[in-house]
Amino acid sequence: MKALVINCTLKRSPAPSNTDALAQVVVDRLEKDGVRVEVLRAVDLDIEPGVTSEPVREGDAWPAVHAKLLDAEILVVASPTWLGRPSSVAQRVLERMDAMLSETDDQDRPVAYNRVAGVVVTGNEDGAHHVISEISGALADIGYTIPGQAWTYWHLGPGPGPDYLDEERGREWSHRTGRAMAANLAGVARALAARPLGAPPG
């Protein structure tokens, strides 16, 4: 079983990423459960704006990301909180994924069917539940199954404060929730693999 983690931090590699650090807790648990995990930092890729799976112009990195989405049973979208909302990078990723709404497999099922998704959020401001809801709602629209409690977050709101990498407070809860998230994602993904959803009734 494969998982793809798309880190939507605004920081290009190799800059340290709070979002990447918390997502790694989920990655470690997935790998412990026998899942092969690939992590992408979207801001490092030349992803053009748009709502198509096809390249917008030469050099557009999205078609390769799209292929990885179709090769993974599990997707984790990880985003910082900015102004109480998902990052602009997360929004661009979701906009490109919008094209998957009209894509079907050889059994006429939406291509996101029988795949599961979850969300990781970090930020030194409040708004994590809003970010989780926005991203989870978009992924459910596309066709992903969102297991119960398939999310984790860290912040010390309300208001501004320290970053995840600079503060130990709250990490125990976030890590425990992240491990539960990973277990739920893997469990539901395996259940769907054993008894997959069929095409929607006409």
Side-chain angles (χ1 to χ4, degrees):
M1 183 162 287
K2 296 180 182 178
L4 178 66
V5 178
I6 303 181
N7 178 6
C8 298
T9 178
L10 302 183
K11 299 172 183 173
R12 295 184 183 275
S13 298
S17 163
N18 296 289
T19 307
D20 182 67
L22 182 54
Q24 189 61 46
V25 174
V26 180
V27 169
D28 291 345
R29 175 62 202 207
L30 285 169
E31 290 179 336
K32 185 176 180 180
D33 206 10
V35 179
R36 288 177 290 163
V37 184
E38 180 175 3
V39 180
L40 298 179
R41 194 179 290 204
V43 75
D44 289 340
L45 307 175
D46 188 7
I47 298 174
E48 288 291 310
V51 288
T52 175
S53 296
E54 303 303 317
V56 172
R57 65 168 178 79
E58 187 175 355
D60 183 5
W62 183 255
V65 178
H66 178 259
K68 292 177 186 294
L69 287 167
L70 298 185
D71 193 42
E73 294 86 0
I74 298 170
L75 170 65
V76 174
V77 176
S79 175
T81 306
W82 291 113
L83 298 174
R85 304 184 63 82
S87 73
S88 57
V89 176
Q91 184 62 29
R92 179 165 295 192
V93 166
L94 292 171
E95 286 171 349
R96 292 303 295 266
M97 290 180 70
D98 180 83
M100 295 169 65
L101 281 163
S102 58
E103 298 171 7
T104 56
D105 64 14
D106 55 7
Q107 296 184 45
D108 208 29
R109 298 175 298 195
V111 291
Y113 269 33
N114 300 308
R115 304 178 197 278
V116 301
V119 183
V120 171
V121 177
T122 58
N124 59 14
E125 58 180 284
D126 205 350
H129 275 288
H130 176 75
V131 175
I132 291 164
S133 297
E134 288 230 339
I135 296 174
S136 295
L139 295 173
D141 276 353
I142 293 165
Y144 282 88
T145 295
I146 313 297
Q149 298 183 349
W151 48 262
T152 190
Y153 69 88
W154 181 94
H155 77 75
L156 293 180
D163 290 332
Y164 172 84
L165 288 171
D166 301 324
E167 177 60 66
E168 292 292 331
R169 287 181 297 160
R171 284 197 189 188
E172 181 182 353
W173 180 89
S174 297
H175 291 189
R176 185 172 67 249
T177 308
R179 290 190 292 270
M181 165 188 173
N184 293 345
L185 286 168
V188 174
R190 290 193 170 104
L192 285 170
R195 298 193 63 180
L197 298 169

